[in-house]
Amino acid sequence: MYEMTLKAIRETKKLTTKPFGAGILLGFDQDSTTVKAIFEEKLACMQVYWGDYTKEMVDEAHKNGVKVMHQLGSVADAEKAIAAGVDCIIAQGVEAGGHVIGNVSVIALIPRIVDLVGDRNISVVAAGSIADPRGFVAALALGAKGVCMGTRFIATKESYANDYYKQQLLQYTEADTDYTDLYSRATWVAPTRVLNTPFHQKWKPVPQDVSNNEEQPIIGYSIIHGGETILRRFAGQVANQTTAGELENMVMYGGQGVGLVTEILPAGDIVKSFIEGAEKIIKELGGRFEPPADGVAALSIA
């Protein structure tokens, strides 16, 4: 893991002079070699997920000049992250695509965590089903300082996702995702939100003891970290640009915001449209909800 992380970081540095970070699944970095590489390369930040990150760990990161962003899905985990002194909490709602750690909606979770943070210097970022400027503004209204998006950025020209996967995202809506633990059971039993493809519809009722082990047929191959990876039925790896095989029978992660993803765009255009769109919405809301001249407002409850 150390060498692969080091290589990925150094290759990224060749592409940009801007600060960037790296993400870590805590359960898969038991010897902390990924963290070691991040510290040695002096990255701006690291996003940690699926596990606890203690105050001692956060203090070590800060000593190395690295800010800590902890992605989580519950108030209880937010309390731990606040006590540890993280710099940012990414609050993930159950609507999110890919691996989902909590079971509460983003609209209920964000205000609770914002209230917990209070006046501490910890930013709260919203994640889950945010795919257009309206979702961005809604997150800001809930008290978040920003948003974290996955599904929307998969469907971009720069994304390394397979083109077939990108095109499938354009065909599905919020009613066409499923919360499941069908994939990668052999190595990690964890809930995910996926597109409810014909393949997934067919196989999602299988018993819990069915997993992507060597008894499953090979459905494809991908180059991952420079080496060929065999993909068996129910594998958790999504199709990337190198993937060959039965693409329609592979997992496709997607959040409930997928219905708002209608075209594949450059990532920069998406960022620009979010900022401009949010500014426009906020300006319009400011005019729409100006208090009446007489200072009296009415609230009607049907």
Side-chain angles (χ1 to χ4, degrees):
M1 288 296 291
Y2 173 78
E3 293 298 334
M4 286 190 294
T5 304
L6 210 60
K7 180 182 178 183
I9 291 171
R10 290 175 177 174
E11 288 179 351
T12 303
K13 284 183 174 179
K14 294 176 183 177
L15 301 175
T16 181
T17 58
K18 302 292 186 181
F20 65 91
I24 300 171
L25 283 171
L26 295 170
F28 287 87
D29 192 43
Q30 299 294 340
D31 56 4
S32 297
T33 54
T34 304
V35 173
K36 178 185 176 185
I38 290 170
F39 290 170
E40 288 180 355
E41 292 297 309
K42 304 296 182 185
L43 295 192
C45 61
M46 64 178 178
Q47 177 183 338
V48 297
Y49 186 39
W50 219 279
D52 292 335
Y53 210 69
T54 65
K55 187 177 188 306
E56 291 73 24
M57 293 173 172
V58 173
D59 288 346
E60 184 183 7
H62 288 167
K63 286 178 184 176
N64 284 276
V66 178
K67 293 187 181 297
V68 179
M69 308 165 68
H70 197 146
Q71 181 166 316
L72 44 82
S74 70
V75 168
D77 283 344
E79 289 174 337
K80 294 179 185 177
I82 291 168
V86 302
D87 302 282
C88 174
I89 291 174
I90 302 174
Q92 182 197 46
V94 71
E95 310 95 325
H99 289 91
V100 180
I101 198 168
N103 54 20
V104 178
S105 71
V106 71
I107 199 169
L109 186 63
I110 295 296
R112 290 276 284 128
I113 292 178
V114 168
D115 288 348
L116 272 179
V117 167
D119 59 2
R120 296 178 181 87
N121 188 27
I122 300 174
S123 298
V124 179
V125 171
S129 74
I130 299 167
D132 74 357
R134 292 170 294 185
F136 181 22
V137 173
L140 297 178
L142 294 170
K145 300 297 184 183
V147 294
C148 177
M149 297 188 296
T151 306
R152 175 60 274 193
F153 279 124
I154 294 172
T156 57
K157 294 184 183 298
E158 296 88 349
S159 165
Y160 197 54
N162 190 279
D163 290 342
Y164 178 84
Y165 178 17
K166 294 182 187 182
Q167 289 296 327
Q168 289 301 298
L169 289 171
L170 309 185
Q171 311 303 318
Y172 286 77
T173 74
E174 65 284 347
D176 304 319
T177 70
D178 190 41
Y179 183 72
T180 180
D181 68 353
L182 176 61
Y183 304 94
S184 288
R185 286 177 182 167
T187 55
W188 185 25
V189 179
T192 59
R193 186 171 298 282
V194 304
L195 300 184
N196 197 14
T197 62
F199 171 83
H200 181 73
Q201 290 178 40
K202 175 182 177 180
W203 290 100
K204 64 182 179 181
V206 299
Q208 282 290 321
D209 59 354
V210 174
S211 71
N212 61 308
N213 56 28
E214 293 186 357
E215 296 177 3
Q216 298 298 332
I218 294 172
I219 60 171
Y221 301 86
S222 288
I223 303 299
I224 300 176
H225 299 306
E228 185 176 79
T229 297
I230 295 173
L231 302 178
R232 296 183 181 275
R233 187 167 59 197
F234 312 133
Q237 295 96 333
V238 296
N240 65 34
Q241 289 288 323
T242 71
T243 304
E246 303 169 20
L247 298 176
E248 71 280 7
N249 294 334
M250 297 179 187
V251 63
M252 297 182 202
Y253 299 130
Q256 288 185 335
V258 69
L260 296 168
V261 179
T262 58
E263 56 183 329
I264 297 169
L265 298 170
D269 288 359
I270 291 173
V271 174
K272 182 179 179 182
S273 73
F274 265 65
I275 294 171
E276 292 177 350
E279 290 176 343
K280 183 173 183 286
I281 292 168
I282 292 169
K283 183 177 179 180
E284 289 176 349
L285 287 173
R288 192 181 306 169
F289 295 107
E290 286 181 358
D294 60 5
V296 178
L299 175 63
S300 175
I301 302 176

